[in-house]
């Protein structure tokens, strides 16, 4: 998604002094004079977490020149409590490298580690390794989640228990006690006590193979979690301080000291890089009021955000795609960056600014290069490292560490914590991220939140019971009405108003609101006027760390607000086999049972259809050219039942794909619902943004959507189980869309792709009507030109977004931009397939498996998507479908015989019970309908 940020027309195009356009010479003079006239008064350099060694060196040079400089790292969503706890527990103020892939039991207390917590991409990849189950590898991790809100991670959990944030500490203490046979702390509900017993026994049974993580920023709670991990042998096996995760290093203590110094007039100047405390710090307002009076205030940020607006100097740095650099997100793992494009505007790397101001005129590229030439030993080694992009050890360094945390003290502080009748969780949205860094990115604003499926806003998430008790209307989960009742929330001296979105799985005494909204106009058009800023509700705990949990008062108002939700039907009703889901125990007992059942069902279908009845009909012989009824073979060969199912019992001609036949498999057990694939598809295929008003009219254009289903009793939050199903064009061999198109605009390729000839499309939309998967998207407007994104147009009617010359640079030149009146949908990224084929052809060879990858496949952090040529018996897709995973393969709506070229792998849940579909009932229903 950050590619779109590169071309964001709201980015600063040159430096500014006092908000007026300026030059780098003028900026250098002004800043140099101010620094030299500081008279020893401290200059604070406040940055987001830095893990670049060359950036650290530039900062060191600057500090050497101006010794009164104080460098503070500040994270918009703080991990200070975890860092402080690790300092006192293990003597290292760092986040360890977690190894979810080594854990057979994973327990998370309020940590959304698959969505937003620390490094979700790495964690999702590791986590998925424990979910790739097959008949040959019957092993699976067990994931238990305890949380107040329904998070993306909680949605993937095998077992999930709800607790209020004020209870997280008590849950941790109780688990620690239970590990050694002790009892729970008082105040936990019977269901939480039962959960604690279950968790402790699972952890005890898997010592050395288990991991507990917690999302709280309270150092006391994290100290107890450290004690648990120490007791279960996690240190050195599933987490290690020998390799640290360097993506979060911020210190709330340092930031509080800065705010205090600012208040007391003890600050000479301030510089900000990649951080925006005026917007996202609990002291933001006070910080903003004082910055304006300072002798020197510089922002290196890329736009006139809330902090930059108050600074005298705006010295915009390059976008990362315009930059040289390096990063060491894990100790020993260094990534070298080279720019993909020359700077679009008159920006300058912020490190170069620091160097210049400290008297070093070296250009940033030379600075980075000189460092690495010295480190790697010469030009050749440097070139190789740049080409490879990463320097990494063969295996991750792991080692144990001794625990010395003060558990007694932490426990005493936890047990004295007070909860409230209603508690608020302030969370990061998967798409918008920390401090709203992506809030002016229309792709990410329009990405439906994976769990709530809502676009373009923040809102109050509330359980169905609480909504009902508080008179919030539309508590029916399948309610289509998007008018939501507005509530007023008060805490920590702040009051906000937001609409309520009812979400199953929320604790009845917990509400949740996303941070990162309610941005200033200077941030950009997509960000402005979208949602409300809840950062003023963040408070400080006893250790001075930011707390994202609050006790709140709330009341319903006599107002409603429309939310643009893309999925209005939430529950899974066992009528059709849309999702196959089984427990781990069922699968373990008889892994071939699913295969046998599917075989039986499809054979039943093959036998029950008598095509001779249709032979004389207009749909048959005399229908569309080339369509001839095929008389079913009444006795399909036993070993060839799938072939028989494909060929028999159909009015369609049998599609023979003799060369390539493209196919895709999506593993519902690996997929965590993150939506990265949706954005990858949007970026690759020039999928349009339509704006909130058009989403409300169900005009969203995503070619790949993630359907989210709930199962269980909405009035019992702990019973809710969630399923994610990526849904795209299924490229059916018997495609119901193809035969209704009056102009043959949609048709079948010889490689099994259901393709669209945009020029032929006359917009009747019969195809979308006839598609059982509802994956076709119609351009109701000219989204890329005249009607572009018009719901977010400025008050004065100006448009300066995706149809300006800069932002249009984001469009992929390999893919057509569609216009009004045309139908579109997933093409299997045909441009990539053609590209790979033509490269192979030019080199006089056949294509290798894996050479053509779809954008969604490429971006999936869990490798849930496998794609390739099904006719190649050596391909990953062939092996998966017909050998390694044949027991779990199914097609959506298989019984209607559309013969999709996309298959799914069934969901296997490591839980005692399934709240969703009863397979027996599903089978009966399917048979009934076939009959
Ligand atoms: Fe989009 Fe390509 Fe994936 Fe289809 S295969 S959903 S076009 S990224
Ligand atoms: Fe995320 Fe899509 Fe992969 Fe699922 S398939 S894990 S939603 S990228």
């Amino acid at each position: 998604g950050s590619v779109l940020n590169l071309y964001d027309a709201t980015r600063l195009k040159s430096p500014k002094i006092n908000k007026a356009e300026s030059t780098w010479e003028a900026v250098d003079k002004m800043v140099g004079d101010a620094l030299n006239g500081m008279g020893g008064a401290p200059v604070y350099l406040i940055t987001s977490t830095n893990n670049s060694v060359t950036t650290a060196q530039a900062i060191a040079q600057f500090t050497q020149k101006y010794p009164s400089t104080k460098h503070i790292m500040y994270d918009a969503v703080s991990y200070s409590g975890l860092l402080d706890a690790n300092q006192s527990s293990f003597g290292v103020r760092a986040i360890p490298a977690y190894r979810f892939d080594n854990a057979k039991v994973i327990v998370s207390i309020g940590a959304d580690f698959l969505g937003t917590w620390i490094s979700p991409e790495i964690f999702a990849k590791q986590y998925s390794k424990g979910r790739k189950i097959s008949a040959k590898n019957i092993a699976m991790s067990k994931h238990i989640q305890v949380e107040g809100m329904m998070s993306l991670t909680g949605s993937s959990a095998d077992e999930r228990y709800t607790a209020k944030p004020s209870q997280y500490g008590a849950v941790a203490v109780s688990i620690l006690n239970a590990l050694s046979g002790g009892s729970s702390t008082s105040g936990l509900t019977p269901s939480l006590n039962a959960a604690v017993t279950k968790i402790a026994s699972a952890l005890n049974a898997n010592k050395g193979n288990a991991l507990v993580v917690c999302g709280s920023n309270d150092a006391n709670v994290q100290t107890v979690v450290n004690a648990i991990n120490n007791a279960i042998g996690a240190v050195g096996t599933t987490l290690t301080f020998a390799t640290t995760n360097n993506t979060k290093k911020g210190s709330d203590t340092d930031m509080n000291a800065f705010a205090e110094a600012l208040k007391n007039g003890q600050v000479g100047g301030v510089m900000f890089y990649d951080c925006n405390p005026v917007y996202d710090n609990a002291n933001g307002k006070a910080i903003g009021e004082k910055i304006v009076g300072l002798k020197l205030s510089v922002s290196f940020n890329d736009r006139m955000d809330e902090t930059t607006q108050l600074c005298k100097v705006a010295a915009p740095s390059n976008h990362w795609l315009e930059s040289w650099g390096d990063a060491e997100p894990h100790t020993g793992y260094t990534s070298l960056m080279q720019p993909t494009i020359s700077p679009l505007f008159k920006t300058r790397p912020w490190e170069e600014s620091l160097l210049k101001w400290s008297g070093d005129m070296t250009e940033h590229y030379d600075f980075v290069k000189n460092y690495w030439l010295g480190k790697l030993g010469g030009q050749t080694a440097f070139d190789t490292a740049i080409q490879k992009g990463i320097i990494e050890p063969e295996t991750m360094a792991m080692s144990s560490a001794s625990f010395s945390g003060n558990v007694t003290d932490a426990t005493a502080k936890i047990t004295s914590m007070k909860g409230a009748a209603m508690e608020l969780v302030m969370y990061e949205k998967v798409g918008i991220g920390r401090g709203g860094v992506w809030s002016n990115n229309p792709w990410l604003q329009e990405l439906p939140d994976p769990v709530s499926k809502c676009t373009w806003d923040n809102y109050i998430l509330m359980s169905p019971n609480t909504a009902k008790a508080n008179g919030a209307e539309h508590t029916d989960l399948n309610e289509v009405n998007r008018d939501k009742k507005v509530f007023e929330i008060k805490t920590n001296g702040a009051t906000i108003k937001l609409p309520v979105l009812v979400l199953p799985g929320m604790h009845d005494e917990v509400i949740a609101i996303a941070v990162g909204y309610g941005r200033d106009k200077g941030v950009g058009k997509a960000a402005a006027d979208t949602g409300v800023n809840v950062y003023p509700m963040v408070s400080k705990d006893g250790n001075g760390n930011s707390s994202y949990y609050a006790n709140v008062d709330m009341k319903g108002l006599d107002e409603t607000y429309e939310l643009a939700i893309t999925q209005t039907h939430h529950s899974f009703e066992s009528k059709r086999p849309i999702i196959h889901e089984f427990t781990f125990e069922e699968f373990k007992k008889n892994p071939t049972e699913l295969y046998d059942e599917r075989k039986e069902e499809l054979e039943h279908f093959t036998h029950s259809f008598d095509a001779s009845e249709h032979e004389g009909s207009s749909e048959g012989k005399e229908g569309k050219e080339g369509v001839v009824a095929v008389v079913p073979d009444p006795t399909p060969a036993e070993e060839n039942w799938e072939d028989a199912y494909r060929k028999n019992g159909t009015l369609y001609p049998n599609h023979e794909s003799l060369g390539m036949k493209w196919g895709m498999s999506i593993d519902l057990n690996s997929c965590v619902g993150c939506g990265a694939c949706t954005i990858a598809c949007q970026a690759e295929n020039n999928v349009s943004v339509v704006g909130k008003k058009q989403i409300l009219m169900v005009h969203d254009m995503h070619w790949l959507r993630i359907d989210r289903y709930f199962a269980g009793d909405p009035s019992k939050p702990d019973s809710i189980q969630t399923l994610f199903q990526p849904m795209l064009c299924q490229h059916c061999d018997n495609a119901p869309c193809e035969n209704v198109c009056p102009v043959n605009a949609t048709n079948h390729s010889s490689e099994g792709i259901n393709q669209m000839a945009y020029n032929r499309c006359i917009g009747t939309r019969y195809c979308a009507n006839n598609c059982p998967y509802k994956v076709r998207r119609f351009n109701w407007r000219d989204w890329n030109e005249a009607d572009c994104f018009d719901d977010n147009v400025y008050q004065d009617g100006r448009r300066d977004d995706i149809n300006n010359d800069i932002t249009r640079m984001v469009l992929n030149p390999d893919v057509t931009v569609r216009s009004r009146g045309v139908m579109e949908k997933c093409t299997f990224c045909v441009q990539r397939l053609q590209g790979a084929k033509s490269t192979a052809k030019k080199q006089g060879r056949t294509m290798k498996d894996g050479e053509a990858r779809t954008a969604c496949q490429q971006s999936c952090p869990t490798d849930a998507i496998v794609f390739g040529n099904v006719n190649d018996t050596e391909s990953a897709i062939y092996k998966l479908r017909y050998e390694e995973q044949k027991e779990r393969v199914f097609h959506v709506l298989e019984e209607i015989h559309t013969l999709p070229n996309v298959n799914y792998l069934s969901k296997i849940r490591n839980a005692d019970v399934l709240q969703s579909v009863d397979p027996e009932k599903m089978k009966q229903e399917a048979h009934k309908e076939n009959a």
Side-chain angles (χ1 to χ4, degrees):
S2 65
V3 182
L4 189 56
N5 278 35
L6 170 67
Y7 299 114
D8 184 346
T10 323
R11 280 178 61 197
L12 284 168
K13 298 182 182 64
S14 68
K16 285 182 190 255
I17 294 178
N18 293 326
K19 296 199 180 136
E21 197 167 314
S22 187
T23 62
W24 284 108
E25 291 72 31
V27 163
D28 291 343
K29 166 116 191 35
M30 184 181 170
V31 175
D33 289 350
L35 285 169
N36 290 324
M38 212 45 81
V43 174
Y44 281 79
L45 175 61
I46 302 175
T47 69
S48 58
T49 290
N50 171 53
N51 53 39
S52 157
V53 58
T54 53
T55 300
Q57 194 176 313
I59 293 172
Q61 277 188 223
F62 182 80
T63 310
Q64 205 175 8
K65 168 84 179 175
Y66 303 104
S68 67
T69 308
K70 292 181 196 290
H71 178 211
I72 291 176
M73 285 192 244
Y74 163 69
D75 296 314
V77 170
S78 164
Y79 289 82
S80 227
L82 173 59
L83 291 160
D84 293 350
N86 291 348
Q87 170 79 65
S88 59
S89 302
F90 299 105
V92 193
R93 195 176 189 279
I95 292 173
Y98 290 102
R99 294 296 302 264
F100 287 87
D101 49 336
N102 289 348
K104 288 190 180 139
V105 173
I106 297 163
V107 177
S108 164
I109 307 169
D112 187 8
F113 63 85
L114 298 174
T116 55
W117 191 71
I118 306 179
S119 301
E121 307 82 1
I122 301 170
F123 300 157
K125 187 153 209 104
Q126 295 174 345
Y127 176 83
S128 70
K129 293 199 173 132
R131 319 299 279 181
K132 300 232 181 266
I133 179 172
S134 71
K136 291 192 190 83
N137 173 32
I138 306 185
M140 186 176 174
S141 63
K142 173 113 180 163
H143 168 197
I144 305 172
Q145 185 88 1
V146 182
E147 62 183 4
M149 68 169 288
M150 187 65 159
S151 71
L152 184 76
T153 306
S155 306
S156 280
D158 295 309
E159 288 182 33
R160 185 175 170 275
Y161 302 92
T162 52
K164 298 202 284 189
S166 62
Q167 294 172 319
Y168 289 176
V171 169
V173 171
S174 302
I175 292 172
L176 182 63
N177 291 345
L179 284 175
S180 50
S183 56
S184 283
T185 56
S186 59
L188 292 189
T189 57
S191 76
L192 276 176
N193 277 325
V196 164
T197 309
K198 208 167 176 184
I199 290 169
S201 106
L203 293 175
N204 265 334
N206 287 279
K207 282 191 170 168
N209 288 308
L211 175 62
V212 181
V213 290
C214 177
S216 171
N217 197 34
D218 183 330
N220 298 315
V221 179
Q222 293 292 357
T223 298
V224 176
V225 171
N226 284 344
I228 297 173
N229 279 325
N230 183 53
I232 60 172
V235 187
T237 55
T238 55
L239 69 87
T240 179
F241 287 93
T243 305
T244 56
N245 180 317
N246 306 321
T247 57
K248 311 284 174 197
K249 298 187 195 168
S251 164
D252 285 354
T253 310
D254 288 354
M255 199 60 191
N256 295 342
F258 162 68
E260 196 56 25
L262 203 55
K263 195 168 104 191
N264 298 333
Q266 294 159 342
V267 175
V270 67
M271 297 181 178
F272 299 98
Y273 170 68
D274 191 33
C275 65
N276 186 11
V278 171
Y279 166 75
D280 55 32
N281 189 274
N283 292 321
K285 195 159 172 272
I287 292 172
E289 282 165 6
K290 291 287 178 186
I291 289 174
V292 283
L294 295 178
K295 198 187 263 182
L296 176 68
S297 49
V298 180
S299 168
F300 299 106
N301 292 350
D302 73 339
R303 64 195 61 226
M304 292 302 270
D305 58 29
E306 293 82 349
T307 300
T308 310
Q309 282 175 29
L310 302 176
C311 290
K312 286 195 170 65
V313 177
S317 191
N318 293 358
H319 187 274
W320 68 270
L321 287 166
E322 300 166 333
S323 305
W324 288 93
D326 51 69
E328 194 181 5
H330 275 77
T331 318
Y333 293 74
T334 297
S335 175
L336 294 178
M337 295 158 60
Q338 55 181 324
T340 57
I341 188 170
S342 290
L344 293 171
F345 310 124
K346 289 181 210 148
T347 54
R348 184 168 81 181
W350 77 286
E351 294 94 338
E352 196 169 302
S353 296
L354 286 187
L355 289 172
K356 275 209 161 60
W357 300 339
S358 54
D360 183 342
M361 295 302 148
T362 316
E363 286 198 1
H364 185 235
Y365 164 64
D366 292 322
F367 186 74
V368 172
K369 188 178 164 185
N370 291 344
Y371 175 88
W372 285 105
L373 281 178
K375 187 93 181 161
L376 298 170
Q379 187 70 42
T380 314
F382 175 73
D383 289 345
T384 310
I386 282 283
Q387 196 173 33
K388 212 174 153 208
I390 187 158
I391 301 164
E392 58 183 341
E394 270 182 22
T395 50
M396 182 181 273
M398 303 281 291
S399 74
S400 187
S402 63
F403 174 78
S404 56
N406 188 341
V407 179
T408 315
D409 182 52
T411 305
K413 285 182 178 139
I414 286 169
T415 38
S416 66
M417 269 170 73
K418 298 248 176 320
M422 189 55 69
E423 298 181 17
L424 167 68
V425 175
M426 287 163 265
Y427 69 101
E428 284 176 89
K429 258 206 197 174
V430 170
I432 300 302
R434 63 175 169 108
V437 277
W438 308 115
S439 50
N440 197 46
N441 187 316
W443 287 349
L444 297 173
Q445 282 282 8
E446 204 157 289
L447 171 72
D449 179 81
V451 185
S452 72
K453 307 313 288 178
C454 191
T455 61
W456 284 107
D457 268 299
N458 64 345
Y459 33 78
I460 303 164
L461 292 173
M462 193 182 278
S463 80
N465 288 342
T466 311
K468 207 168 182 179
N470 285 278
E473 286 147 26
H474 314 305
T475 54
D476 177 353
L477 299 179
N478 292 326
E479 177 68 72
V480 177
N481 194 328
R482 283 132 179 204
D483 278 338
K484 306 293 176 194
K485 190 173 172 74
V486 173
F487 274 66
E488 185 182 80
I489 309 288
K490 281 189 185 176
T491 186
N492 195 28
T495 304
I496 55 150
K497 287 195 318 183
L498 275 173
V500 160
L501 195 154
V502 181
L503 191 70
M506 294 288 298
H507 188 289
D508 285 337
E509 292 171 16
V510 173
I511 55 172
I513 307 175
V515 297
Y517 286 81
R519 307 300 307 273
D520 186 87
K521 282 210 165 22
V523 179
K525 188 156 61 171
D529 302 329
T530 305
V532 170
N533 182 13
V534 287
Y535 271 113
M537 296 190 154
V538 173
S539 58
K540 298 280 170 201
D541 67 16
N543 297 318
N545 289 326
S546 296
S547 173
Y548 302 97
Y549 309 136
N551 299 336
V552 291
D553 292 324
M554 72 175 193
K555 73 166 185 223
L557 304 176
D558 198 16
E559 283 175 40
T560 59
Y561 181 88
E562 273 191 317
L563 287 178
I565 301 168
T566 55
Q567 188 174 335
T568 51
H569 191 95
H570 301 279
S571 60
F572 184 74
E573 297 159 1
S574 57
K575 285 209 180 111
R576 285 177 182 273
I578 292 170
I579 289 172
H580 286 195
E581 188 190 17
F582 303 90
T583 64
F584 180 49
E585 282 308 315
E586 280 174 316
F587 188 75
K588 209 154 64 171
K589 234 184 274 160
N590 186 359
T592 63
E593 188 184 337
L594 316 179
Y595 179 77
D596 297 340
E597 274 183 11
R598 182 165 164 260
K599 174 173 172 254
E600 192 191 314
E601 270 175 38
L602 298 192
E603 279 183 350
H604 174 89
F605 175 86
T606 310
H607 287 294
S608 66
F609 182 88
D610 183 358
S612 59
E613 284 173 17
H614 302 269
E615 270 187 272
S617 73
S618 57
E619 297 91 352
K621 279 182 177 163
E622 292 152 20
K624 197 171 159 185
E625 197 185 340
V627 174
V628 180
V630 179
V631 181
D633 175 358
T635 53
E638 178 64 19
E639 69 280 7
N640 213 8
W641 60 272
E642 212 161 348
D643 246 21
Y645 168 70
R646 291 191 80 81
K647 287 181 185 156
N648 295 329
T650 176
L651 293 171
Y652 288 76
N654 189 28
H655 284 285
E656 294 281 359
S657 295
L658 298 174
M660 306 271 185
K661 177 146 172 88
W662 301 109
M664 180 180 277
S665 172
I666 303 177
D667 184 354
L668 297 185
N669 220 36
S670 301
C671 173
V672 296
C674 68
C677 50
T678 302
I679 294 300
C681 178
Q682 183 152 26
E684 169 71 19
N685 293 298
N686 301 336
V687 172
S688 299
V689 170
V690 300
K692 179 178 170 182
K693 199 164 141 198
Q694 294 293 324
I695 296 269
L696 283 163
M697 294 163 79
V698 203
H699 288 172
D700 49 307
M701 295 301 291
H702 295 130
W703 288 4
L704 169 54
R705 63 171 199 264
I706 314 295
D707 286 337
R708 185 271 291 116
Y709 296 103
F710 292 127
D713 181 349
S715 68
K716 295 184 184 138
D718 290 10
S719 79
I720 298 299
Q721 289 177 342
T722 314
L723 285 153
F724 294 107
Q725 183 172 53
M727 182 51 66
L728 62 159
C729 173
Q730 303 285 295
H731 296 274
C732 313
D733 275 349
N734 287 351
C737 52
E738 288 171 16
N739 57 9
V740 293
C741 177
V743 292
N744 204 23
T746 186
N747 49 49
H748 221 64
S749 85
S750 59
E751 297 177 357
I753 297 180
N754 169 254
Q755 55 194 8
M756 275 299 304
Y758 299 125
N759 280 357
R760 299 182 70 107
C761 178
I762 56 167
T764 61
R765 295 177 284 117
Y766 296 150
C767 55
N769 213 21
N770 222 28
C771 171
Y773 306 100
K774 296 294 161 230
V775 288
R776 295 185 149 256
R777 301 283 173 264
F778 185 66
N779 286 272
W780 287 95
R781 294 190 175 198
D782 185 4
W783 306 120
N784 288 288
E785 290 289 343
D787 301 318
C788 162
F789 193 17
D790 63 346
D791 304 284
N792 299 288
V793 80
Y794 285 131
Q795 294 294 319
D796 60 8
R798 268 180 304 131
R799 301 161 191 270
D800 66 354
D801 40 68
I802 210 158
N803 62 349
N804 68 40
D805 287 346
I806 293 168
T807 313
R808 282 184 65 80
M809 285 170 74
V810 82
L811 296 172
N812 181 355
D814 289 344
V815 178
T816 320
V817 175
R818 286 76 58 184
S819 188
R820 181 169 43 214
V822 171
M823 188 62 74
E824 60 183 67
K825 45 113 229 159
C826 159
T827 62
F828 266 171
C829 291
V830 68
Q831 66 283 358
R832 289 180 169 221
L833 311 186
Q834 294 300 95
K837 268 164 41 183
S838 104
T839 305
K841 190 177 173 188
K842 271 188 245 159
Q843 293 172 1
R845 58 175 176 83
T846 49
M847 252 176 82
K848 292 191 219 80
D849 185 41
E851 241 180 299
R853 305 186 79 209
T854 64
C856 52
Q857 170 192 26
Q858 190 180 30
S859 65
C860 174
T862 65
D863 299 318
I865 301 175
V866 174
F867 178 83
N869 176 11
V870 186
N871 282 351
D872 174 3
T873 53
E874 291 304 309
S875 69
I877 183 80
Y878 179 90
K879 288 194 173 143
L880 175 148
R881 239 185 227 182
Y882 301 108
E883 294 166 11
E884 290 152 13
Q885 287 287 12
K886 65 178 183 183
E887 292 80 8
R888 289 177 56 211
V889 165
F890 74 98
H891 296 92
V892 174
L893 301 180
E894 196 151 25
E895 80 283 8
I896 61 172
H897 208 244
T898 46
L899 301 183
N901 282 316
V902 176
N903 74 266
Y904 292 84
L905 300 185
S906 50
K907 172 96 181 163
I908 312 287
R909 207 182 278 273
N910 201 349
D912 299 340
V913 284
L914 277 190
Q915 299 288 352
S916 56
V917 193
D918 170 359
E920 197 43 46
K921 192 174 162 202
M922 187 170 77
K923 197 166 80 181
Q924 286 164 8
E925 293 281 356
H927 283 182
K928 229 189 300 169
E929 294 206 11
N930 286 340

